[in-house]
Amino acid sequence: MRPDLELHHYMAGQAEIDGGHYGFNFPARSEFPAIQSYCSDSSLDASRIPETAEARAIAALRNHKHAEKRRRERINYHLDRLRALLPCNPKTNKATLLAKVVQRVRELKQQASQVTELEYLPSETDDFAAHANHAASDDGKLKLKASLCCDDRADLFSDLIDALNSLQLKVVRAEMSTLGGRIRNVLILSGETDQCQGHECAAFLHNALKNIIERSKASERAKRRRRLDPINIS
């Protein structure tokens, strides 16, 4: 028991015994405001604990609602942007809008693949290129990429093989396409690094492809000249 309560009980007991002798009655416990205030404060502290936990729960719920509101606003903003990009009604629902987005992405992927395929189709103009891959290969050999587009002729491949053999290059992969008497060759080549450096070998290959193009042009001019020459009839 606390000392103040023990003192109170003792004095109250003495008042009941000797009250008549001293001429007064000792006040009851409820008449001590300090003790009553102390007891009431203890009960108030216990009652404040659930109120604080409830306030925290309400604050957390309020923050969650604000976060959800901001998230919905961001989603609606991006959905509105998609509606503006796609040919659809501004009030199109989310499911229909997402279906249109998926369809459009598939169309774009198909168009991109078609563009990639067009790079390997022969064009109407002659062109050639040679590039060295400066990244180190697994086998330590030199890697080059060459492309050649010109008129198709019977001795084109023999000229190309002779040019590669003169540079001691081997074909790793070859892609060829023809269209309307034109041909495009895309070659992945490999060579020994002790023969020449990457940029030097690419320069030699570039000159070799240029000679093949010039030979093709000369052959085409000769064919046209033969077609235009008058036929001598004796």
Side-chain angles (χ1 to χ4, degrees), residues 88-116:
C88 61
N89 192 301
K91 296 183 179 180
T92 303
N93 59 59
K94 296 179 182 179
T96 304
L97 178 62
L98 293 177
K100 289 182 176 293
V101 170
V102 172
Q103 180 181 0
R104 183 56 179 165
V105 170
R106 289 176 177 173
E107 292 175 355
L108 292 175
K109 289 180 65 176
Q110 184 178 3
Q111 293 176 6
S113 63
Q114 292 175 355
V115 170
T116 304

Side-chain angles (χ1 to χ4, degrees), residues 51-63:
E51 292 179 359
T52 303
E54 182 179 0
R56 291 177 180 176
I58 294 175
L61 180 61
R62 186 182 300 109
N63 293 335

Side-chain angles (χ1 to χ4, degrees), residues 8-21:
H8 170 75
H9 291 161
Y10 173 77
M11 294 178 68
Q14 292 296 324
E16 292 176 357
I17 297 173
D18 301 331
H21 176 73

